[in-house]
Amino acid sequence: MNRSGLKERIVDLVRREGPIPFDRFMEMALYDPDGGFFGSGPLRSQAEGDFLTSPETSGEFGATLARFAESEFRRLGRPAGFTLLEVGAGSGALLSPLLTALDWTPRTVALEASPAAREALRQALPAVEVASDHRDLDRFRGVVIANEVVDNLPVAIAVRAEEGGWAERRVWSDGADLVLVEAPVRSEVLAWLKAHAADVPSGGVVECQLAASNWMGRMIDLLEAGAIVVIDYGDTSEGLLLRRRRGGTLRTYRAHHLSRHPLDEPGSMDITADVDFSALARAATDRGLQCKLYRQDDFLSELGLDGRRAEFRQRELAEARDGDPMERLRLRSRVKEIETLLHPRGFGDFRVLVATR
Ligand SMILES: C[S@@+](CC[C@H](N)C(=O)[O-])C[C@H]1O[C@@H](n2cnc3c(N)ncnc32)[C@H](O)[C@@H]1O
């Protein structure tokens, strides 16, 4: 079915049921098997796709995360069946260098919502188990990694009213087009807002990330012992107050560029919001996990990436003096890739939540 089919189905749905919450719309726009951006269509995370991520930028990202997996393996006493689960594994650009960097082989599972990504993963990494549903997995000891996935989990949208209360934006149809309308806020959304957005001024728009907290709960259920590592754009609740200004952080991407309003052509573009890492950490600490929040540049540097940059740079300079020009270029591009991963206003400004049990 084509994308206009998805929009027509959403129009039919709101005509039948009345205005639907934005998170329900976003669920369909991203994950519907007949027209959702991830649920159907080609592989999205690649140079020719819609966005470029840290693992797609450089194999150094996955290779550096291998050091984290190694330290958890040792912390847990090298258990048999130690499992590496990557959620939203895309093309395999993170898992491939990670597994190459280890001198042992963990059981590895890639959980993917996209059929095209699942097929790409089976082709690229035949030894990796590929799954579409967390309910198919048993509990394990190991590490869960999710890079640029939680920002896609459906959000509700709330607006702070003049009197200090909240309204919720719902999706409605004014005829052929989808539009946003304001409605009373649902009780679960209100509870989330009270916990994580109490200081937002009137007129402020907030993406309420209930689905992200629920996702964290599902990952914790899977993890007997080990760590969950969430890497994404976003900030603490306080940081988001400044970052999102009044208009919220919801945006869309298509072919590497910011795209149109999320209600235009549902299914044709990525819909995403900055992750509220305080809310995500709270979902983990409430279940007894220890949480630590890093910036990506600090996290990767602690795992040795900055040292690797310096080493490549030294070798590049040595090759420049009396070595092989091709090798010099290869080292130069490695240095550039690492600088991109650590750039303080780019990927380096991403956040990394490490939740351990
Ligand atoms: C922005 S891409 C990132 C891909 C990869 N992690 C990377 O960093 O290159 C998001 C990926 O997560 C997948 N995805 C989105 N929501 C998901 C979910 N709820 N469960 C599993 N995979 C999901 C998408 O299909 C897509 O491949």
Side-chain angles (χ1 to χ4, degrees), residues 31 38 45 51 53 55 86 88 90 111-114 147-149 153:
Y31 300 113
F38 292 121
S45 51
F51 36 74
T53 58
E86 189 188 355
L111 183 62
E112 245 302 337
S114 150
N147 185 67
E148 287 203 45
V149 182
L153 299 180

Side-chain angles (χ1 to χ4, degrees), residues 13 37 55 76 80 113-114 122 196 218 220 230 232 234 264 281 313 325:
L13 177 72
F37 183 75
L76 298 180
S114 150
R122 286 191 190 101
H196 304 294
R218 290 198 294 276
I220 292 169
V230 177
D232 225 312
D264 295 345
R313 179 80 180 123

Side-chain angles (χ1 to χ4, degrees), residues 159-161 164-166 190 192-206 236-242 244-246 276 278:
V159 190
R160 189 104 212 203
W166 291 94
L190 187 59
W192 190 97
L193 292 164
K194 280 186 174 161
H196 304 294
D199 296 332
V200 171
S202 64
V205 177
V206 176
T236 57
S237 301
E238 303 77 54
L240 284 176
L241 249 185
L242 306 170
R244 69 163 76 94
R245 301 188 189 87
R246 288 168 67 92
D276 185 326
S278 303

